[in-house]
Amino acid sequence: MNQHRVLLAWWRKGSVVGGIHDGVEGRCRLCTMTDSDFRLLIQRFYQLQAERVETYRLFDEGHQAYLKSGPHYDFIHYRQLVHEITQAFNGISKELIQMKDQFRELHDRLDLSEHLEKIQELEKEKLELTARLQLAKQNAQDHPSDESHQEEVQLLKHNSHPFP
């Protein structure tokens, strides 16, 4: 099931469904998480994912410009782009880790915490595949007569979609 749909389903279900109580009359152990708090966390998750999408778009555009600068590549500008992209992804990841911890520690939602952790793992895999794909594209451009580079590009493109 799509990770985004899972989170949306939990949001619709509500944060205190099931009345999980800590033994004190009328006090729910999830009371600190209001519906509003829960919605804000989920909305922020979607905002962060949108930021990731935009960051990947910029990364791809920058890589395309880098490839167009060949055969004497403008590595200095590309290195700066990679640095900025890395900072953006690190900022997003740090905030998602904090969100994951909030779900687990403050709101007793281990299920959501685990899903955010899985999303982080998949995003890491996607970034690694993206870097490998960019290198393969450069190799294919630099060695057009070597079909193995083009085959590697096609294989990586096929494997670069870790989300169902």
Side-chain angles (χ1 to χ4, degrees):
M1 177 181 243
N2 185 317
Q3 296 293 334
H4 301 285
R5 289 188 187 141
V6 170
L7 288 170
L8 184 59
W10 279 311
W11 175 76
R12 287 183 179 144
K13 188 166 103 176
S15 61
V16 294
V17 169
I20 304 167
H21 294 280
D22 62 5
V24 177
E25 184 63 33
R27 203 171 118 194
C28 176
R29 69 182 167 161
L30 297 177
C31 287
T32 58
M33 184 178 202
T34 66
D35 284 341
S36 177
D37 292 338
F38 191 78
R39 283 188 196 110
L40 289 174
L41 279 174
I42 298 299
Q43 287 172 350
R44 184 61 187 146
F45 165 77
Y46 282 111
Q47 289 170 353
L48 290 170
Q49 288 301 96
E51 287 177 30
R52 268 200 243 238
V53 169
E54 178 64 11
T55 302
Y56 272 113
R57 188 188 65 73
L58 294 171
F59 197 22
D60 186 54
E61 281 181 12
H63 186 254
Q64 289 176 24
Y66 171 72
L67 289 177
K68 287 179 183 173
S69 72
H72 304 289
Y73 296 104
D74 185 0
F75 184 71
I76 293 172
H77 284 107
Y78 184 67
R79 182 177 57 196
Q80 180 62 35
L81 171 70
V82 169
H83 174 74
E84 291 171 13
I85 294 296
T86 300
Q87 285 182 320
F89 281 134
N90 283 341
I92 292 167
S93 291
K94 285 178 183 177
E95 192 168 341
L96 279 171
I97 289 167
Q98 289 173 348
M99 187 181 291
K100 176 183 72 91
D101 292 343
Q102 279 185 310
F103 279 128
R104 185 182 69 246
E105 296 167 7
L106 299 178
H107 305 299
D108 199 25
R109 290 299 302 261
L110 184 59
D111 53 347
L112 292 177
S113 178
E114 289 172 350
H115 279 283
L116 286 181
E117 188 170 340
K118 181 64 176 174
I119 289 169
Q120 284 293 96
E121 290 170 10
L122 289 170
E123 288 291 352
K124 180 182 177 196
E125 289 176 27
K126 181 179 179 180
L127 185 56
E128 290 169 356
L129 279 169
T130 299
R132 289 176 49 203
L133 178 59
Q134 289 182 353
L135 184 58
K137 285 179 177 180
Q138 183 176 345
N139 285 335
Q141 179 173 304
D142 291 345
H143 309 284
S145 61
D146 187 344
E147 289 183 27
S148 67
H149 294 299
Q150 197 55 251
E151 290 170 5
E152 183 181 16
V153 168
Q154 293 307 313
L155 179 65
L156 289 169
K157 278 184 178 180
H158 178 72
N159 292 326
S160 67
H161 304 286
F163 295 109

